[in-house]
Amino acid sequence: MTEASVLPGVPVAVGPVLFKAACPDCRARFELSAGALRLAIGGSRRTTFYSFTCPECGTAVRKPAGERIVELLTGGGVRTLRLHSTV
């Protein structure tokens, strides 16, 4: 467990970050650790997304990520890939 401080000199125990997710195929709902998610940030809304594999059915899932989702995922330690334009 890691520690974070809300007030200087006062440690607060913080557990691993878990993200709630759902599979569009099997409709299962579950929690995923940061290591189970990938975030791709592209030059547009269409090319910015997060992905994971459903732990229930094994389907590769890709969902769009707006600014708030990007902020939450990066803040929670999700690995990020920045996509660069060739133009």
Coordinates of all heavy atoms in Angstrom, one line a residue:
M1 N 0.8 -1.2 0.0 CA 0.0 0.0 0.0 C 0.9 1.2 0.0 O 1.9 1.3 0.7 CB -0.9 0.0 1.2 CG -2.2 0.6 1.0 SD -3.3 0.5 2.4 CE -4.2 -1.0 2.1
T2 N 0.5 2.2 -0.8 CA 1.3 3.5 -0.8 C 0.6 4.5 0.1 O -0.5 4.3 0.5 CB 1.3 4.0 -2.2 OG1 0.0 4.3 -2.7 CG2 2.0 3.1 -3.2
E3 N 1.4 5.5 0.4 CA 0.9 6.6 1.3 C 0.8 7.9 0.5 O 1.7 8.2 -0.3 CB 1.7 6.7 2.5 CG 1.6 5.6 3.5 CD 2.3 5.8 4.8 OE1 2.9 6.9 4.9 OE2 2.2 5.0 5.6
A4 N -0.2 8.7 0.8 CA -0.4 10.0 0.2 C -0.7 10.9 1.4 O -1.2 10.5 2.4 CB -1.5 10.0 -0.8
S5 N -0.4 12.2 1.2 CA -0.6 13.1 2.3 C -1.6 14.2 1.9 O -1.4 14.9 0.9 CB 0.7 13.8 2.7 OG 0.4 14.6 3.8
V6 N -2.7 14.3 2.6 CA -3.7 15.3 2.3 C -3.3 16.6 3.1 O -3.3 17.7 2.6 CB -5.1 14.9 2.8 CG1 -6.1 16.0 2.6 CG2 -5.6 13.6 2.0
L7 N -2.8 16.4 4.3 CA -2.3 17.5 5.1 C -0.8 17.2 5.3 O -0.4 16.1 5.5 CB -3.0 17.6 6.4 CG -4.5 17.8 6.4 CD1 -5.1 17.7 7.8 CD2 -4.8 19.2 5.9
P8 N 0.1 18.2 5.2 CA 1.5 18.0 5.4 C 1.8 17.3 6.7 O 1.2 17.7 7.8 CB 2.1 19.4 5.5 CG 1.1 20.3 4.7 CD -0.3 19.6 5.0
G9 N 2.5 16.2 6.6 CA 2.9 15.5 7.8 C 1.9 14.5 8.3 O 2.1 13.8 9.3
V10 N 0.8 14.4 7.6 CA -0.3 13.4 8.0 C -0.5 12.4 6.9 O -1.1 12.7 5.9 CB -1.6 14.1 8.3 CG1 -2.7 13.1 8.7 CG2 -1.4 15.2 9.4
P11 N 0.2 11.2 7.0 CA 0.0 10.2 5.9 C -1.4 9.6 5.9 O -2.0 9.4 6.9 CB 1.1 9.2 6.3 CG 1.3 9.3 7.7 CD 1.0 10.8 8.1
V12 N -1.8 9.3 4.7 CA -3.1 8.6 4.5 C -2.9 7.4 3.7 O -2.2 7.5 2.6 CB -4.1 9.6 3.8 CG1 -5.4 8.9 3.5 CG2 -4.3 10.8 4.6
A13 N -3.3 6.2 4.1 CA -3.1 5.0 3.3 C -4.0 5.0 2.1 O -5.2 5.4 2.1 CB -3.5 3.8 4.2
V14 N -3.4 4.7 1.0 CA -4.1 4.6 -0.3 C -3.9 3.3 -0.9 O -2.8 2.8 -1.1 CB -3.5 5.7 -1.3 CG1 -4.2 5.7 -2.6 CG2 -3.7 7.1 -0.7
G15 N -5.0 2.6 -1.3 CA -4.9 1.3 -2.0 C -4.7 1.5 -3.5 O -4.7 2.6 -4.0
P16 N -4.6 0.3 -4.2 CA -4.5 0.4 -5.6 C -5.8 1.0 -6.2 O -6.9 0.8 -5.7 CB -4.3 -1.0 -6.0 CG -4.8 -1.9 -4.9 CD -4.6 -1.0 -3.7
V17 N -5.6 1.7 -7.3 CA -6.8 2.3 -8.0 C -7.5 1.3 -8.9 O -6.8 0.5 -9.6 CB -6.3 3.5 -8.9 CG1 -7.4 4.1 -9.7 CG2 -5.6 4.6 -8.1
L18 N -8.8 1.2 -8.8 CA -9.6 0.3 -9.6 C -10.6 1.1 -10.4 O -11.1 2.1 -9.9 CB -10.3 -0.7 -8.7 CG -9.5 -1.7 -8.0 CD1 -10.3 -2.6 -7.1 CD2 -8.7 -2.6 -8.9
F19 N -10.8 0.7 -11.6 CA -11.7 1.4 -12.5 C -12.9 0.5 -12.8 O -12.7 -0.7 -13.2 CB -11.0 1.8 -13.8 CG -9.8 2.7 -13.6 CD1 -8.5 2.3 -13.5 CD2 -10.0 4.1 -13.6 CE1 -7.5 3.1 -13.3 CE2 -9.0 5.0 -13.4 CZ -7.7 4.5 -13.3
K20 N -14.1 1.1 -12.8 CA -15.3 0.3 -13.1 C -15.4 0.3 -14.6 O -15.2 1.3 -15.3 CB -16.5 0.9 -12.5 CG -16.5 0.8 -11.0 CD -17.8 1.3 -10.4 CE -17.7 1.1 -8.9 NZ -19.0 1.2 -8.3
A21 N -15.7 -0.9 -15.2 CA -15.9 -1.0 -16.6 C -17.0 -2.0 -16.9 O -17.4 -2.8 -16.0 CB -14.6 -1.5 -17.3
A22 N -17.4 -2.1 -18.2 CA -18.4 -3.0 -18.6 C -18.1 -3.5 -20.0 O -17.5 -2.8 -20.8 CB -19.8 -2.4 -18.6
C23 N -18.4 -4.7 -20.3 CA -18.2 -5.3 -21.7 C -19.5 -5.1 -22.5 O -20.6 -5.5 -22.1 CB -17.9 -6.8 -21.6 SG -17.7 -7.6 -23.2
P24 N -19.3 -4.5 -23.7 CA -20.5 -4.3 -24.6 C -21.0 -5.6 -25.2 O -22.2 -5.7 -25.6 CB -20.0 -3.4 -25.6 CG -18.5 -3.6 -25.7 CD -18.1 -3.9 -24.3
D25 N -20.2 -6.7 -25.2 CA -20.6 -8.0 -25.8 C -21.4 -8.8 -24.8 O -22.5 -9.2 -25.0 CB -19.4 -8.7 -26.3 CG -18.9 -8.2 -27.6 OD1 -19.5 -7.3 -28.2 OD2 -17.9 -8.8 -28.2
C26 N -20.7 -9.1 -23.6 CA -21.4 -10.1 -22.7 C -22.1 -9.3 -21.6 O -22.8 -9.9 -20.7 CB -20.4 -11.0 -22.1 SG -19.2 -10.3 -20.9
R27 N -22.0 -8.0 -21.5 CA -22.7 -7.1 -20.6 C -22.2 -7.3 -19.1 O -22.8 -6.8 -18.2 CB -24.2 -7.4 -20.6 CG -24.8 -7.2 -21.9 CD -25.2 -5.8 -22.2 NE -26.0 -5.7 -23.4 CZ -25.6 -4.9 -24.4 NH1 -24.6 -4.1 -24.3 NH2 -26.4 -4.8 -25.5
A28 N -21.1 -8.0 -18.9 CA -20.5 -8.1 -17.6 C -20.0 -6.8 -17.1 O -19.5 -5.9 -17.9 CB -19.4 -9.1 -17.6
R29 N -20.1 -6.6 -15.8 CA -19.6 -5.4 -15.1 C -18.5 -5.8 -14.2 O -18.7 -6.9 -13.5 CB -20.7 -4.6 -14.4 CG -21.7 -4.1 -15.3 CD -22.7 -3.2 -14.6 NE -23.7 -2.6 -15.5 CZ -23.4 -1.5 -16.2 NH1 -22.3 -0.9 -16.2 NH2 -24.4 -1.1 -17.0
F30 N -17.4 -5.1 -14.1 CA -16.2 -5.5 -13.3 C -15.4 -4.3 -13.0 O -15.6 -3.2 -13.5 CB -15.4 -6.6 -14.1 CG -15.3 -6.3 -15.5 CD1 -14.4 -5.4 -16.0 CD2 -16.2 -6.9 -16.4 CE1 -14.3 -5.2 -17.4 CE2 -16.2 -6.7 -17.8 CZ -15.2 -5.8 -18.3
E31 N -14.3 -4.5 -12.2 CA -13.4 -3.5 -11.9 C -12.0 -4.0 -12.4 O -11.7 -5.2 -12.4 CB -13.2 -3.3 -10.4 CG -14.5 -2.7 -9.8 CD -14.3 -2.4 -8.3 OE1 -13.5 -3.1 -7.6 OE2 -15.0 -1.5 -7.8
L32 N -11.3 -3.0 -13.0 CA -10.0 -3.3 -13.6 C -8.9 -2.5 -12.9 O -9.1 -1.3 -12.6 CB -10.0 -3.0 -15.1 CG -10.9 -3.8 -15.9 CD1 -11.0 -3.3 -17.3 CD2 -10.5 -5.3 -16.0
S33 N -7.7 -3.0 -12.8 CA -6.6 -2.3 -12.3 C -6.0 -1.4 -13.4 O -6.3 -1.7 -14.6 CB -5.5 -3.2 -11.7 OG -4.9 -4.0 -12.8
A34 N -5.2 -0.5 -13.1 CA -4.6 0.4 -14.1 C -3.8 -0.5 -15.1 O -3.8 -0.1 -16.3 CB -3.7 1.4 -13.4
G35 N -3.2 -1.5 -14.6 CA -2.4 -2.4 -15.5 C -3.2 -3.1 -16.6 O -2.7 -3.6 -17.6
A36 N -4.5 -3.2 -16.4 CA -5.4 -4.0 -17.3 C -5.9 -3.0 -18.4 O -6.6 -3.5 -19.3 CB -6.5 -4.6 -16.5
L37 N -5.6 -1.8 -18.3 CA -6.2 -0.8 -19.2 C -5.0 -0.2 -20.0 O -3.9 -0.1 -19.6 CB -6.9 0.3 -18.5 CG -8.2 0.0 -17.8 CD1 -8.5 0.9 -16.7 CD2 -9.3 -0.1 -18.8
R38 N -5.3 0.3 -21.3 CA -4.4 1.0 -22.1 C -5.1 2.3 -22.6 O -6.3 2.2 -22.9 CB -3.9 0.2 -23.3 CG -3.2 -1.0 -23.0 CD -1.8 -0.8 -22.4 NE -1.2 -2.0 -22.0 CZ -1.3 -2.6 -20.8 NH1 -2.1 -2.1 -19.9 NH2 -0.7 -3.7 -20.5
L39 N -4.4 3.4 -22.6 CA -5.0 4.6 -23.1 C -4.2 5.1 -24.3 O -2.9 5.2 -24.2 CB -4.9 5.7 -22.0 CG -5.3 7.1 -22.3 CD1 -6.8 7.2 -22.8 CD2 -5.1 8.0 -21.1
A40 N -4.9 5.4 -25.4 CA -4.2 6.0 -26.6 C -4.7 7.4 -26.8 O -5.9 7.6 -26.8 CB -4.5 5.1 -27.8
I41 N -3.8 8.3 -26.9 CA -4.2 9.7 -27.1 C -3.8 10.2 -28.5 O -2.6 10.2 -28.8 CB -3.5 10.6 -26.0 CG1 -4.0 10.2 -24.6 CG2 -3.9 12.1 -26.3 CD1 -3.4 11.0 -23.5
G42 N -4.8 10.5 -29.3 CA -4.5 10.9 -30.7 C -4.7 12.3 -30.9 O -5.0 13.1 -29.9
G43 N -4.7 12.8 -32.1 CA -4.9 14.2 -32.4 C -6.3 14.6 -32.5 O -6.6 15.8 -32.6
S44 N -7.3 13.7 -32.3 CA -8.7 14.1 -32.4 C -9.5 13.2 -31.4 O -8.9 12.3 -30.8 CB -9.2 13.9 -33.8 OG -9.3 12.5 -34.1
R45 N -10.7 13.5 -31.2 CA -11.6 12.8 -30.3 C -11.7 11.3 -30.8 O -11.9 10.4 -30.1 CB -13.0 13.4 -30.2 CG -12.9 14.8 -29.6 CD -14.3 15.4 -29.6 NE -14.8 15.3 -28.2 CZ -16.0 15.5 -27.8 NH1 -16.9 15.8 -28.7 NH2 -16.3 15.4 -26.6
R46 N -11.7 11.2 -32.2 CA -11.9 9.9 -32.8 C -10.7 9.0 -32.5 O -10.9 7.7 -32.5 CB -12.1 10.1 -34.3 CG -13.0 9.0 -34.9 CD -13.2 9.4 -36.4 NE -12.0 9.9 -37.0 CZ -11.5 9.5 -38.1 NH1 -12.1 8.5 -38.8 NH2 -10.4 10.0 -38.6
T47 N -9.5 9.5 -32.4 CA -8.3 8.7 -32.2 C -7.8 8.7 -30.7 O -6.7 8.3 -30.5 CB -7.2 9.2 -33.1 OG1 -6.9 10.6 -32.8 CG2 -7.6 9.0 -34.6
T48 N -8.7 9.1 -29.8 CA -8.4 9.1 -28.4 C -9.3 8.1 -27.7 O -10.5 8.2 -27.8 CB -8.5 10.4 -27.7 OG1 -7.5 11.3 -28.4 CG2 -8.1 10.4 -26.2
F49 N -8.8 7.0 -27.2 CA -9.6 5.9 -26.7 C -8.8 5.1 -25.6 O -7.6 5.3 -25.5 CB -10.0 5.0 -27.8 CG -8.8 4.3 -28.5 CD1 -8.3 3.1 -28.1 CD2 -8.2 4.9 -29.6 CE1 -7.2 2.5 -28.7 CE2 -7.1 4.3 -30.2 CZ -6.6 3.1 -29.8
Y50 N -9.6 4.3 -24.9 CA -9.0 3.4 -23.9 C -9.4 2.0 -24.3 O -10.4 1.8 -25.0 CB -9.3 3.7 -22.5 CG -10.7 3.6 -22.0 CD1 -11.2 2.5 -21.4 CD2 -11.6 4.6 -22.3 CE1 -12.5 2.3 -21.0 CE2 -12.9 4.5 -21.8 CZ -13.4 3.4 -21.2 OH -14.7 3.3 -20.8
S51 N -8.6 1.0 -23.9 CA -9.0 -0.4 -24.3 C -8.6 -1.3 -23.2 O -7.8 -1.0 -22.3 CB -8.2 -0.8 -25.6 OG -6.9 -0.7 -25.4
F52 N -9.3 -2.5 -23.2 CA -9.0 -3.5 -22.2 C -9.6 -4.8 -22.8 O -10.3 -4.8 -23.8 CB -9.7 -3.2 -20.9 CG -11.1 -3.0 -20.9 CD1 -12.0 -4.0 -20.8 CD2 -11.7 -1.7 -21.1 CE1 -13.4 -3.8 -20.8 CE2 -13.0 -1.5 -21.2 CZ -13.9 -2.5 -21.0
T53 N -9.2 -5.9 -22.2 CA -9.8 -7.2 -22.5 C -10.8 -7.6 -21.5 O -10.5 -7.6 -20.3 CB -8.7 -8.3 -22.6 OG1 -7.8 -7.9 -23.7 CG2 -9.3 -9.7 -23.0
C54 N -12.0 -8.0 -21.9 CA -13.0 -8.4 -20.9 C -12.6 -9.6 -20.1 O -12.2 -10.6 -20.8 CB -14.3 -8.7 -21.6 SG -15.6 -9.3 -20.5
P55 N -12.5 -9.6 -18.8 CA -12.1 -10.7 -18.0 C -13.1 -11.9 -18.1 O -12.8 -13.0 -17.7 CB -11.9 -10.2 -16.6 CG -12.7 -8.9 -16.6 CD -12.8 -8.4 -18.0
E56 N -14.3 -11.6 -18.5 CA -15.4 -12.6 -18.5 C -15.4 -13.4 -19.8 O -15.5 -14.6 -19.8 CB -16.8 -12.0 -18.3 CG -16.9 -11.3 -16.9 CD -16.9 -12.3 -15.7 OE1 -17.4 -13.4 -15.9 OE2 -16.3 -12.0 -14.7
C57 N -15.4 -12.7 -21.0 CA -15.5 -13.3 -22.2 C -14.3 -13.2 -23.1 O -14.3 -13.9 -24.2 CB -16.8 -12.8 -23.0 SG -16.6 -11.1 -23.6
G58 N -13.3 -12.4 -22.8 CA -12.1 -12.3 -23.5 C -12.2 -11.4 -24.7 O -11.2 -11.3 -25.5
T59 N -13.3 -10.6 -24.9 CA -13.4 -9.7 -26.0 C -12.5 -8.5 -25.8 O -12.4 -8.0 -24.7 CB -14.9 -9.2 -26.1 OG1 -15.7 -10.3 -26.3 CG2 -15.0 -8.1 -27.1
A60 N -11.8 -8.1 -26.9 CA -11.0 -6.9 -26.9 C -12.0 -5.7 -27.0 O -12.8 -5.6 -27.9 CB -10.1 -6.8 -28.0
V61 N -12.0 -4.8 -26.0 CA -12.9 -3.7 -25.9 C -12.2 -2.4 -26.1 O -11.1 -2.2 -25.6 CB -13.7 -3.6 -24.6 CG1 -14.6 -2.5 -24.5 CG2 -14.4 -5.0 -24.3
R62 N -12.8 -1.5 -27.0 CA -12.2 -0.2 -27.2 C -13.3 0.8 -27.1 O -14.4 0.7 -27.7 CB -11.6 -0.1 -28.6 CG -11.1 1.2 -29.0 CD -10.5 1.1 -30.4 NE -10.4 2.4 -31.0 CZ -9.6 2.7 -32.1 NH1 -8.9 1.7 -32.6 NH2 -9.6 3.9 -32.6
K63 N -13.1 1.9 -26.2 CA -14.1 2.9 -26.0 C -13.5 4.3 -26.1 O -12.3 4.5 -25.8 CB -14.7 2.7 -24.6 CG -15.4 1.4 -24.4 CD -16.2 1.4 -23.1 CE -17.0 0.1 -23.0 NZ -17.9 0.1 -21.8
P64 N -14.3 5.2 -26.6 CA -13.7 6.6 -26.7 C -13.4 7.2 -25.3 O -14.0 6.9 -24.3 CB -14.9 7.4 -27.4 CG -16.1 6.5 -27.2 CD -15.6 5.1 -27.0
A65 N -12.4 8.1 -25.3 CA -12.0 8.7 -24.0 C -12.0 10.2 -24.2 O -11.1 10.8 -24.9 CB -10.6 8.2 -23.6
G66 N -12.9 10.9 -23.6 CA -13.0 12.3 -23.6 C -11.9 12.9 -22.6 O -11.2 12.1 -21.9
E67 N -11.9 14.2 -22.5 CA -10.9 14.8 -21.6 C -10.9 14.3 -20.2 O -9.9 14.1 -19.5 CB -11.1 16.3 -21.6 CG -10.7 17.0 -22.9 CD -10.8 18.5 -22.9 OE1 -10.7 19.1 -21.8 OE2 -11.1 19.0 -24.0
R68 N -12.1 14.2 -19.6 CA -12.3 13.8 -18.2 C -11.8 12.3 -18.0 O -11.1 12.0 -17.0 CB -13.7 13.9 -17.7 CG -14.0 13.5 -16.3 CD -13.3 14.5 -15.4 NE -13.6 14.1 -14.0 CZ -12.7 14.2 -13.0 NH1 -11.5 14.6 -13.2 NH2 -13.1 13.8 -11.8
I69 N -12.1 11.5 -18.9 CA -11.7 10.1 -18.9 C -10.1 10.0 -19.0 O -9.5 9.3 -18.2 CB -12.3 9.2 -20.0 CG1 -13.8 9.2 -19.8 CG2 -11.7 7.8 -20.0 CD1 -14.3 8.5 -18.6
V70 N -9.6 10.8 -19.9 CA -8.1 10.8 -20.0 C -7.5 11.3 -18.7 O -6.5 10.7 -18.2 CB -7.7 11.8 -21.2 CG1 -6.2 12.0 -21.1 CG2 -8.1 11.2 -22.5
E71 N -8.0 12.3 -18.1 CA -7.5 12.8 -16.8 C -7.6 11.7 -15.7 O -6.6 11.5 -15.0 CB -8.4 14.0 -16.4 CG -7.9 14.7 -15.2 CD -8.8 15.9 -14.8 OE1 -9.1 16.7 -15.7 OE2 -9.2 16.0 -13.7
L72 N -8.7 11.1 -15.6 CA -8.9 10.0 -14.6 C -7.9 8.8 -14.8 O -7.3 8.3 -13.9 CB -10.3 9.5 -14.5 CG -11.4 10.5 -14.0 CD1 -12.8 10.0 -14.3 CD2 -11.2 10.8 -12.6
L73 N -7.8 8.4 -16.0 CA -7.0 7.2 -16.3 C -5.5 7.5 -16.1 O -4.8 6.8 -15.5 CB -7.3 6.7 -17.7 CG -8.6 6.1 -18.0 CD1 -8.8 5.7 -19.5 CD2 -8.9 5.0 -17.1
T74 N -5.1 8.7 -16.6 CA -3.6 9.0 -16.4 C -3.3 9.3 -15.0 O -2.3 8.8 -14.5 CB -3.2 10.3 -17.3 OG1 -4.1 11.4 -17.0 CG2 -3.3 10.0 -18.7
G75 N -4.3 9.9 -14.2 CA -4.1 10.1 -12.8 C -4.1 8.8 -12.0 O -3.5 8.8 -10.9
G76 N -4.7 7.8 -12.5 CA -4.8 6.5 -11.9 C -3.7 5.6 -12.3 O -3.6 4.4 -11.9
G77 N -2.7 6.0 -13.1 CA -1.6 5.2 -13.5 C -1.7 4.3 -14.7 O -0.9 3.4 -14.9
V78 N -2.7 4.6 -15.5 CA -2.9 3.8 -16.7 C -1.8 4.1 -17.7 O -1.5 5.3 -18.0 CB -4.3 4.0 -17.3 CG1 -4.4 3.3 -18.7 CG2 -5.4 3.5 -16.4
R79 N -1.2 3.1 -18.3 CA -0.2 3.4 -19.3 C -0.8 4.1 -20.5 O -1.8 3.7 -21.0 CB 0.5 2.1 -19.8 CG 1.5 1.6 -18.7 CD 2.3 0.4 -19.3 NE 1.5 -0.8 -18.9 CZ 1.8 -2.0 -19.2 NH1 2.9 -2.2 -20.0 NH2 1.1 -3.0 -18.8
T80 N 0.0 5.1 -21.0 CA -0.5 5.9 -22.1 C 0.4 5.8 -23.3 O 1.6 5.9 -23.2 CB -0.6 7.4 -21.6 OG1 -1.5 7.4 -20.5 CG2 -1.2 8.3 -22.7
L81 N -0.3 5.8 -24.5 CA 0.4 5.8 -25.8 C 0.0 7.1 -26.5 O -1.2 7.3 -26.7 CB 0.1 4.6 -26.6 CG 0.6 4.5 -28.0 CD1 2.1 4.5 -28.1 CD2 0.0 3.4 -28.8
R82 N 0.9 7.9 -26.9 CA 0.5 9.1 -27.6 C 0.7 8.8 -29.1 O 1.8 8.4 -29.6 CB 1.4 10.3 -27.2 CG 1.2 10.6 -25.8 CD 1.6 12.1 -25.5 NE 1.3 12.4 -24.1 CZ 0.2 12.9 -23.6 NH1 -0.8 13.2 -24.4 NH2 0.1 13.2 -22.3
L83 N -0.4 9.0 -29.9 CA -0.4 8.7 -31.3 C 0.0 10.0 -32.0 O -0.5 11.0 -31.7 CB -1.7 8.2 -31.8 CG -2.3 7.0 -31.0 CD1 -3.7 6.7 -31.5 CD2 -1.4 5.8 -31.2
H84 N 1.0 9.9 -32.9 CA 1.5 11.1 -33.6 C 1.0 11.1 -35.0 O 1.0 10.0 -35.7 CB 3.0 11.1 -33.6 CG 3.6 11.3 -32.2 ND1 3.5 12.5 -31.5 CD2 4.2 10.4 -31.4 CE1 4.1 12.3 -30.3 NE2 4.5 11.0 -30.2
S85 N 0.7 12.2 -35.5 CA 0.2 12.3 -36.9 C 1.4 12.4 -37.8 O 2.5 12.9 -37.5 CB -0.5 13.7 -37.1 OG -0.8 13.9 -38.4
T86 N 1.3 11.8 -39.0 CA 2.4 11.8 -40.0 C 2.3 13.0 -41.0 O 3.0 13.1 -41.9 CB 2.4 10.5 -40.8 OG1 1.1 10.3 -41.4 CG2 2.7 9.3 -39.9
V87 N 1.3 13.9 -40.7 CA 1.1 15.0 -41.6 C 2.0 16.1 -41.1 O 2.3 16.4 -40.0 CB -0.4 15.5 -41.5 CG1 -0.6 16.7 -42.4 CG2 -1.3 14.4 -42.0

